[in-house]
Amino acid sequence: MANVNVSLTVNGQQQTVSVDSSETLLWMLRDRLGLTGTKYGCGIEQCRACSVLVNGQLEKACDYDVTSAAGKSVTTIEGLSADLSNKLQQAWITEQVPQCGYCQSGMLMAATALLASTPKPTDAQIDSAINNICACGTYARVRLGIKRAAGML
Amino acid sequence: MSAGTNKAVSRRGFLKSMLGAGGALVVGVELVPGLSWTNAAAAVATAGGSLGVYVTIGADETVTLTYPGAEMGQGASTGLAQILAEELMVDWSSVRLLLGGYDPQLNRPTNGTTLGTSQSTGGSNSVRGYHDYLRNVGATARQKLIWAANSLNPSIPVSDLKAVNGTVVRISDGSLVATYGALAATAVTMTPNDVAWVQPPYRIIGQSVPRLDLPSKVNGSAVYGIDIRLPGMLYASVKQAPKVGQTVGTIGAAPSGVLAVVPVPAASRPVVSGTLPPIGGVGVVTNSTTWGAIQAARSIAVTWVDEAYTANLDTALMKTRAAGLMSSGTAVTASPKVGDADAALVAAPANQRYSGTYSVPYLAHATMEPMNATVLVTDASCEIWAPTQVQTTAAEAAALVTGLPLSAIKVNTTYLGGGNGRRLQVDFIIQAVTIAKAMKGTPIKTVWSREDDFTHDYFRPASLTKIDAAVDGSGAITAIKARVVCPSSKYQTGTLTSGTVDSSAVDGLVNALYNFPNKTVEWVLDTIEVPLGSWRSVGNSQNCFFLESLLDEVAIGTNQDPIALRRSLLNSGTPTHLRALAVLDALVTASNWNTAPVSGRARGMAMSMSFGDTIVGEVAEVSGSVASGFKVHNVTVVIDCGLAVNPGMVKAQIESAVDQGLAAAMWQGQTFVTGTPQKRNFDTYRMARLREAPAINTVIIDSGAKLGGVGEPGLPPIAPAIANAIARLTGIRARNLPLSTMPVPPVISSFTPSSGPVGTVVTLTGTGFTGATAVTFNGVAATSFTVASATQLVATVPAGATTGKIAVTTADGTGTSANSYSVTTGIPLPFLASFTPASGPAGTLVTINGSNLTGTTAVKFNGATAAFTVVSATQLTATVPAGATTGKISVTNPGGTTTTTPSYTVALNPLAPTVSGFSPTSGVVGSTVTITGSKFTGTTAVTFNGVAATVFTVVSDTRVTATVPVGATSGKISVTNASGTGTSSSSYTVKLPVPTVSSFTPTSGPIGTVVTINGTNFVGVTAVKFNGKTATSFTVVSATQITATVPTATTTGKVSVTNSGGTGTSSASFTVTSGSTAGAPTISSFTPSSGRAGTSVTLTGTNFTGTTSVKFNGTAATFTVVSSTKITTTVPAGAPKGSISVTNPYGTVTSRDAYDTGIG
Ligand code: FES
Ligand code: FES
């Protein structure tokens, strides 16, 4: 339970956080920084509700050692935009994607990473890039949301 | 704790601004996380009155509408707001949402004007359950605002006022009288007597307005239970029992960093009203994080005590138990019972009866947000923030735990990360309140791990159900009897009246939308203690699968179109049935039912009516196979839910139900081993992923019927639609879910021959043949077949067989060939199963086993005709003909020729050779040896002491000649043929080649002279002689050079060299001269005594004539014999300091003194 200070950038803001050295990024974001948009779903890298970007790379925060995040730049759902100006957020509203919404932070981060590397993804590319679990069955609309944000609809 | 967003602060700020906006009714934002519902209501009251708990109008003209239930993704919060906004005549953009907490004023109504006794969200009953009541609430609030306008402007009569877009205007000239914001405070006091609902066409009802909750769900600001943060809050989790049905024995020491250890009531126990479960978990409080609390709970040592029933919660045992109840359990008949199904079934002939026994497993709710609740308990109050579907039950449970009156309990409803029926239970709230009660004054957030969430669920009951049907001669169903074996949550909670039926056990069967002339549904209670709860669509989730699958079996069996079959069951003219017919008509169109799907796919359909007469028909299009798995490509859904308040949300709910029902049908099911649930996270409990989600096309029929449910009715038909598609695709009826457990039937990949008359033996290749129980040729069973292996089977074309496909049946199903076998006329081909021996020379008698061997006209060995004898229809013998070569055996009869798969090996000699002798017995390499013995025909090798002769000739079966090979050494001779090797008893001696002496130098010299001899074959040299006198010293420099010293007493004569092959002698003579050396040298002195390499040194001594070497401490030096007493020599490079030695044929002398070379 050793406590250490970790300095990193979260959604563009420099932060120094006192954490338990064995903690993962997920719990630092949620319980230390109060950024509760990033969700806990399984804790074993299955559901991807905890997805965030670390230095632009899609990562599962539930298994991302908090000390490894030191000096890096983390983007969470709150970092997409608070005012819904992000094109994926807008597409999500247009297509009315979320239901319970619990998985959607992870979905949006995965979609963000996908469009960053593949601006016009094919169905097959969407199939392989989006591995998040949604228990509510929003998959068809997630696909539409991505295509809309990509300007493909 | 670090800097970070503290939402609690902004919450307080919000509350203050609300209170400070004096005079008007103000609430102007969506529920802010953690806002106390009760405080908000109080604030509204303090601000001067209310248009009711549901409607708050802000000074900024926003209209905040209270949602009384649980928003778990179904969108009901938006649906109810639409109803209110419609009646209120406000613009949708001005509407805000407030999630209501526990408040009896928010109880679910029983009709348009009366509230019921509790708040709960389930049964797809939010929109339809609140619709009439909220229409009245909205209409009343609107009239209050109109009356307020009249009250403030008495000159304008109410009859000249109307509400438009959040304002009141004059009807006569359309002029604005006042905005709602300006009228709200006055409106509170009005008591209008002219309340009436808005009439269609509607502005908002029936529109796909955007959901109010979604903006917060795409930027991370929506607050779920797990997201609650309060000042001073601590984190807790619970060490839950590893098995279902255990209590706490002993609790070990608290791990470091744990602030409190609190025994708590067990999770996942049937909660009996007014009592708490026994202590069955250990709460752990920390000040770290939720994950820290989960880890601390994992690390604390707890011993557990089984309940009496715990070990019975075992899937294998429970299946046996259910089967026993199916055959002999006491049943209760559900009503209504129609006619006498038993009698009709008995009366029906066997070929007009259909029967299927189906099963479904226990299902987990698997909500994405694990169970959690945040609670603050003080001496006088208890406040809860929780994702709950049952605010009233939660409050009652908290009162029970804390001993506080209900009036002291506050429950705030957060967003739910899925509900699905799991949050109709309050076990997690009881645990959280118990922990908070031990930590009075401190808010405690208690969160379960995902593993505990899976372990401690209230599962959808497993059900084993048998359905029997009878049809008349035209295929019309005359009777249906269903016998259901399943456990009951009502029984477990003590609310089942003995002798009655738990409606959820038979829901969807007893009230199915079809008219059956005779119908009986009976239920056998299984008292097993697996904790049970409602899962999306409850009893319909399994009973629709059972009934719609059986109907499909009847449709296939009677060769009827499944939609036509259902039409015939509906056609009675009642309104419900007319709606169902319309659903079927739309389904035919939308799914292209009458056009075949693309090759490799098949369609299946199913329908149901549930949750307030909502009718749903679904068609699933599927490809794949049992072995490779199935893929659902697209699903067409037609729904008639009466009025669709928000068609967009209806579609979303259909998509949700289809995806969830698909995942359950394909993969899901909880299993138990002696009380332990086996699937504890998403790695083993498989959820659908995006790539597995089908395209879903939803058609909404607006039939004008009364509002029906939406959230659940889309689920029941998907499992049978998929199973029915699989039946058409594969011919295999899936009667047990999940489909991933379907046994893999045999596969016939090929067969040979592809045609032949009755009696032909056909070899099938494929998989899964082990345990085959039947093989048919175009439906005619083979009377004789043999399973050679899991991948090969032979069967005889039976009498009566006709051209068609071949099928193999095992306990796992039936596999049918892709191609047809052609049954021809004539004589069946011989069938060759085996032959023995597998090899032998001409003349060998070979036995061939098989069938159809009577009438054999020819047997050939690799084309060579053999003499044969037919022993029986299954055996013949044949003699390997002379001249036959290795190859396949063929057997011919008038029907044709069959050839063996393996080859017969023609070995010329069936026995190994023997070697009796050879001649000559010795010789040099290259000489020829004649070997005698037997079985030399077919000799493949001759070896000399293991070295193979490259040249040999088989002269006869008893004689071989071979040439001694290069490299051969003396040893035994072996002869090898295909059958083995024979070896001589004696050894052949390989002689060396005889040396020759061609020259030598010098050609003369005294005794002791070293002579260099040149010649050939100087190998194995045993002697060098000078005129017959043996040299005592010689060195073989190479095979062509020897140096030898002329020995004492030698006289002039020829030089000879001898080895084991003989002696070679020079033609010239060596001349011995006088002045011969007298003996070994002596060294008396040398000078200088030191000097580096290259220094010239003079040695003085005796007998230096004939010196052969001079060495400095062992290193040879160049030298010159100046005289018999004097040698000059040069110090060699690298010689270390040491003695000088001189050697002549008589010996070597070493100097007494050391020469110093400067080295060493
Ligand atoms: S919580 Fe990280 S993958 Fe599920
Ligand atoms: S929207 Fe509920 S889990 Fe995806």
Side-chain angles (χ1 to χ4, degrees):
Chain A
M1 298 287 261
N3 269 55
V4 295
N5 283 335
V6 169
S7 294
L8 73 175
T9 304
V10 180
N11 298 331
Q13 232 183 306
Q14 183 68 38
Q15 302 269 12
T16 297
V17 196
S18 172
V19 299
D20 174 344
S21 57
S22 67
E23 201 162 293
T24 61
L25 182 56
L26 173 63
W27 300 99
M28 183 206 76
L29 292 169
R30 288 183 53 80
D31 290 349
R32 311 259 186 218
L33 294 182
L35 294 171
T36 53
T38 305
K39 297 296 193 257
Y40 164 62
C42 68
I44 59 163
E45 297 191 85
Q46 284 290 320
C47 73
R48 299 170 193 248
C50 63
S51 298
V52 297
L53 303 181
V54 179
N55 284 354
Q57 201 74 33
L58 189 65
E59 298 284 358
K60 285 158 274 188
C62 71
D63 199 45
Y64 198 96
D65 195 356
V66 70
T67 52
S68 305
K72 295 184 178 158
S73 174
V74 176
T75 306
T76 70
I77 183 71
E78 290 89 348
L80 285 194
S81 91
D83 62 1
L84 314 183
S85 55
N86 175 284
K87 65 179 177 177
L88 273 161
Q89 291 174 322
Q90 289 173 356
W92 249 234
I93 297 289
T94 304
E95 297 299 337
Q96 294 281 287
V97 175
Q99 292 194 18
C100 87
Y102 196 79
C103 71
Q104 297 295 330
S105 300
M107 287 284 186
L108 282 159
M109 299 318 288
T112 300
L114 170 62
L115 293 190
S117 63
T118 313
K120 304 269 182 217
T122 62
D123 279 322
Q125 286 170 324
I126 294 172
D127 281 350
S128 67
I130 307 296
N131 286 298
N132 306 50
I133 292 176
C134 174
C136 292
T138 63
Y139 293 125
R141 288 170 191 248
V142 166
R143 187 187 299 281
L144 286 175
I146 290 171
K147 288 184 175 176
R148 181 165 294 285
M152 298 166 73
L153 291 184
Chain B
M1 190 126 91
S2 71
T5 314
N6 189 333
K7 285 181 177 166
V9 171
S10 59
R11 255 169 249 138
R12 281 201 300 270
F14 161 70
L15 207 55
K16 218 186 310 162
S17 71
M18 186 172 75
L19 288 165
L25 291 172
V26 264
V27 171
V29 293
E30 166 188 14
L31 170 70
V32 172
L35 169 68
S36 156
W37 158 250
T38 318
N39 287 350
V44 167
T46 310
S50 172
L51 288 176
V53 68
Y54 281 102
V55 180
T56 311
I57 296 186
D60 61 354
E61 304 296 340
T62 58
V63 181
T64 299
L65 304 177
T66 301
Y67 175 58
E71 180 50 79
M72 46 192 169
Q74 83 279 39
S77 58
T78 298
L80 294 193
Q82 282 180 265
I83 293 167
L84 284 166
E86 182 74 49
E87 287 294 348
L88 272 168
M89 283 292 182
V90 293
D91 191 77
W92 186 245
S93 63
S94 66
V95 172
R96 302 292 180 266
L97 179 64
L98 177 62
L99 298 184
Y102 166 57
D103 186 336
Q105 295 181 83
L106 300 178
N107 282 356
R108 182 197 295 273
T110 56
N111 58 41
T113 53
T114 314
L115 290 175
T117 54
S118 76
Q119 264 172 290
S120 76
T121 308
S124 297
N125 206 14
S126 294
V127 175
R128 65 189 170 112
Y130 281 90
H131 173 267
D132 290 2
Y133 188 84
L134 293 190
R135 291 290 288 266
N136 286 334
V137 167
T140 303
R142 167 173 35 84
Q143 285 311 104
K144 284 188 174 188
L145 290 158
I146 289 172
W147 280 45
N150 163 262
S151 168
L152 295 172
N153 304 277
S155 63
I156 310 174
V158 167
S159 61
D160 191 29
L161 293 171
K162 68 173 182 180
V164 176
N165 276 350
T167 65
V168 176
V169 301
R170 293 189 70 158
I171 296 171
S172 50
D173 61 6
S175 61
L176 174 72
V177 178
T179 63
Y180 281 8
L183 295 170
T186 308
V188 170
T189 62
M190 299 289 112
T191 50
N193 61 6
D194 56 350
V195 174
W197 291 6
V198 167
Q199 291 304 303
Y202 297 124
R203 298 170 307 119
I204 296 175
I205 288 175
Q207 302 301 309
S208 297
V209 297
R211 286 171 55 155
L212 296 170
D213 54 336
L214 295 204
S216 70
K217 290 179 175 177
V218 301
N219 68 4
S221 67
V223 173
Y224 301 81
I226 200 170
D227 301 331
I228 290 292
R229 291 167 60 77
L230 298 172
M233 184 180 80
L234 295 177
Y235 298 91
S237 190
V238 180
K239 173 99 172 185
Q240 307 282 10
K243 296 187 177 194
V244 176
Q246 284 181 319
T247 54
V248 170
T250 59
I251 302 172
S256 73
V258 167
L259 304 177
V261 172
V262 186
V264 297
S268 67
R269 294 292 181 118
V271 175
V272 179
S273 183
T275 63
L276 291 172
I279 295 301
V282 179
V284 169
V285 182
T286 76
N287 64 357
S288 60
T289 62
T290 286
W291 192 244
I294 288 172
Q295 295 305 323
R298 281 180 180 161
S299 67
I300 191 168
V302 177
T303 62
W304 304 97
V305 181
D306 280 8
E307 298 283 11
Y309 59 77
T310 307
N312 298 338
L313 309 186
D314 188 291
T315 298
L317 296 177
M318 292 191 289
K319 281 189 174 168
T320 307
R321 175 189 169 105
L325 291 170
M326 175 57 75
S327 61
S328 55
T330 304
V332 182
T333 300
S335 83
K337 177 179 182 213
V338 182
D340 188 343
D342 283 316
L345 283 163
V346 168
N351 64 358
Q352 290 176 15
R353 285 200 301 263
Y354 292 85
S355 180
T357 301
Y358 304 86
S359 74
V360 294
Y362 292 97
L363 288 179
H365 289 88
T367 61
M368 285 306 289
E369 179 192 15
M371 297 304 109
N372 68 85
T374 304
V375 183
L376 172 60
V377 175
T378 68
D379 284 340
S381 69
C382 170
E383 183 160 11
I384 299 168
W385 293 259
T388 177
Q389 293 178 246
V390 284
Q391 292 86 344
T392 308
T393 314
E396 288 167 355
L400 191 61
V401 172
T402 58
L404 293 167
L406 257 186
S407 58
I409 311 293
K410 301 173 186 173
V411 179
N412 306 288
T413 318
T414 63
Y415 281 124
L416 282 64
N420 201 11
R422 175 62 179 90
R423 294 183 225 270
L424 293 166
Q425 308 289 343
V426 294
D427 55 338
F428 58 100
I429 294 177
I430 290 173
Q431 290 189 338
V433 174
T434 305
I435 295 168
K437 184 186 163 196
M439 300 290 293
K440 275 187 184 162
T442 302
I444 307 291
K445 174 154 74 179
T446 299
V447 178
W448 290 12
S449 69
R450 170 58 60 196
E451 287 76 9
D452 288 336
D453 191 284
F454 265 111
T455 305
H456 290 283
D457 200 346
Y458 292 83
F459 301 94
R460 193 283 304 270
S463 179
L464 179 69
T465 294
K466 179 169 185 278
I467 306 186
D468 290 283
V471 300
D472 64 18
S474 69
I477 294 178
T478 57
I480 284 275
K481 179 179 180 184
R483 181 175 165 91
V484 176
V485 176
C486 71
S488 159
S489 64
K490 273 191 170 171
Y491 169 79
Q492 292 178 351
T493 54
T495 54
L496 179 74
T497 307
S498 170
T500 65
V501 175
D502 180 341
S503 61
S504 68
V506 297
D507 212 5
L509 285 173
V510 76
N511 51 356
L513 47 56
Y514 307 112
N515 291 318
F516 298 112
N518 297 285
K519 179 165 108 170
T520 299
V521 177
E522 61 183 32
W523 176 51
V524 181
L525 167 66
D526 184 346
T527 57
I528 194 74
E529 292 88 347
V530 175
L532 304 176
S534 295
W535 188 90
R536 195 172 195 167
S537 80
V538 203
N540 293 281
S541 71
Q542 70 265 20
N543 289 328
C544 180
F545 167 67
F546 303 150
L547 179 60
E548 292 292 300
S549 294
L550 189 278
L551 291 184
D552 204 59
E553 295 200 41
V554 172
I556 290 174
T558 57
N559 208 13
Q560 297 184 69
D561 176 83
I563 289 184
L565 174 82
R566 284 165 179 82
R567 278 201 182 103
S568 70
L569 291 169
L570 294 169
N571 213 351
S572 70
T574 67
T576 299
H577 295 159
L578 292 175
R579 289 171 57 215
L581 283 174
V583 166
L584 290 174
D585 288 344
L587 199 56
V588 167
T589 307
S591 69
N592 284 320
W593 182 257
N594 293 325
T595 308
V598 300
S599 160
R601 295 187 190 178
R603 295 193 192 110
M605 68 80 58
M607 72 187 302
S608 82
M609 180 172 75
S610 59
F611 299 95
D613 292 352
T614 291
I615 301 173
V616 180
E618 298 184 6
V619 170
E621 195 170 300
V622 178
S623 70
S625 69
V626 180
S628 65
F630 295 101
K631 161 122 181 126
V632 181
H633 295 272
N634 54 63
V635 176
T636 305
V637 183
V638 177
I639 176 171
D640 173 1
C641 57
L643 175 65
V645 170
N646 185 322
M649 292 195 325
V650 171
K651 288 187 179 181
Q653 280 307 290
I654 290 297
E655 291 160 16
S656 174
V658 166
D659 277 4
Q660 185 172 17
L662 179 150
M666 301 272 271
W667 307 298
Q668 293 173 352
Q670 183 60 284
T671 54
F672 303 83
V673 174
T674 61
T676 308
Q678 297 298 293
K679 299 175 183 175
R680 302 190 62 220
N681 207 322
F682 293 125
D683 51 346
T684 46
Y685 199 87
R686 183 168 166 190
M687 309 289 280
R689 307 274 173 164
L690 182 139
R691 63 183 167 278
E692 293 157 339
I696 300 167
N697 173 27
T698 303
V699 176
I700 300 171
I701 293 183
D702 183 359
S703 66
K706 73 177 168 62
L707 274 174
V710 168
E712 296 171 88
L715 191 140
I718 187 63
I722 295 170
N724 294 344
I726 288 173
R728 281 177 171 68
L729 186 67
T730 65
I732 301 168
R733 173 57 57 182
R735 291 199 178 117
N736 305 293
L737 296 184
L739 298 167
S740 56
T741 61
M742 282 175 78
V744 180
V747 173
I748 303 172
S749 47
S750 64
F751 55 84
T752 179
S754 61
S755 67
V758 167
T760 303
V761 179
V762 181
T763 300
L764 312 182
T765 303
T767 56
F769 293 156
T770 306
T773 53
V775 178
T776 58
F777 287 78
N778 201 23
V780 178
T783 49
S784 163
F785 65 88
T786 305
V787 178
S789 70
T791 58
Q792 196 169 72
L793 180 154
V794 292
T796 304
V797 178
T802 51
T803 295
K805 294 181 176 179
I806 304 174
V808 175
T809 301
T810 69
D812 292 339
T814 298
T816 304
S817 62
N819 299 323
S820 284
Y821 179 85
S822 299
V823 178
T824 58
T825 53
I827 295 171
L829 280 175
F831 172 69
L832 308 180
S834 63
F835 57 84
T836 178
S839 68
T844 304
L845 189 67
V846 177
T847 301
I848 299 167
N849 298 302
S851 42
N852 299 334
L853 301 179
T854 312
T856 295
T857 55
V859 177
K860 292 180 180 174
F861 285 77
N862 202 23
T865 301
F868 66 90
T869 306
V870 175
V871 178
S872 70
T874 59
Q875 192 174 74
L876 57 79
T877 57
T879 304
V880 179
T885 51
T886 296
K888 297 181 176 185
I889 305 172
S890 65
V891 175
T892 303
N893 72 8
T897 298
T898 303
T899 304
T900 58
T901 304
S903 285
Y904 179 85
T905 303
V906 178
L908 291 177
N909 256 320
L911 296 173
T914 56
V915 177
S916 53
F918 49 84
S919 172
T921 57
S922 67
V924 297
V925 167
S927 51
T928 298
V929 181
T930 299
I931 304 159
T932 52
S934 65
K935 315 295 181 197
F936 287 169
T937 307
T939 291
T940 54
V942 176
T943 59
F944 287 80
N945 200 23
V947 177
T950 51
V951 178
F952 66 87
T953 305
V954 179
V955 178
S956 72
D957 198 37
T958 58
R959 182 183 295 254
V960 169
T961 59
T963 303
V964 180
V966 173
T969 54
S970 297
K972 293 178 176 178
I973 298 174
S974 296
V975 177
T976 300
N977 70 13
S979 301
T981 297
T983 303
S984 63
S985 53
S986 57
S987 286
Y988 175 85
T989 303
V990 178
K991 292 204 232 163
L992 292 170
V994 180
T996 60
V997 178
S998 53
S999 65
F1000 48 84
T1001 176
T1003 55
S1004 67
I1007 300 298
T1009 302
V1010 177
V1011 179
T1012 299
I1013 304 163
N1014 299 306
T1016 63
N1017 296 333
F1018 293 164
V1019 176
V1021 172
T1022 53
V1024 177
K1025 292 180 181 171
F1026 288 86
N1027 198 25
K1029 186 84 182 160
T1030 300
T1032 52
S1033 165
F1034 68 88
T1035 302
V1036 178
V1037 179
S1038 71
T1040 57
Q1041 192 170 74
I1042 292 172
T1043 57
T1045 304
V1046 180
T1048 50
T1050 296
T1051 53
T1052 296
K1054 295 187 174 177
V1055 179
S1056 67
V1057 176
T1058 302
N1059 69 8
S1060 67
T1063 299
T1065 304
S1066 63
S1067 48
S1069 285
F1070 180 81
T1071 304
V1072 180
T1073 57
S1074 58
S1076 61
T1077 54
T1082 64
I1083 300 172
S1084 53
S1085 65
F1086 53 81
T1087 182
S1089 62
S1090 67
R1092 294 177 184 279
T1095 305
S1096 180
V1097 177
T1098 300
L1099 310 181
T1100 304
T1102 63
N1103 292 339
F1104 287 168
T1105 307
T1107 290
T1108 55
S1109 79
V1110 176
K1111 292 178 178 172
F1112 284 73
N1113 198 8
T1115 303
T1118 58
F1119 64 92
T1120 305
V1121 178
V1122 179
S1123 70
S1124 69
T1125 58
K1126 184 171 172 178
I1127 289 173
T1128 58
T1129 181
T1130 304
V1131 179
K1137 174 181 177 178
S1139 304
I1140 302 171
S1141 65
V1142 174
T1143 301
N1144 75 7
Y1146 295 91
T1148 298
V1149 67
T1150 303
S1151 66
R1152 190 181 60 247
D1153 300 327
Y1155 179 86
D1156 187 355
T1157 59
I1159 298 176

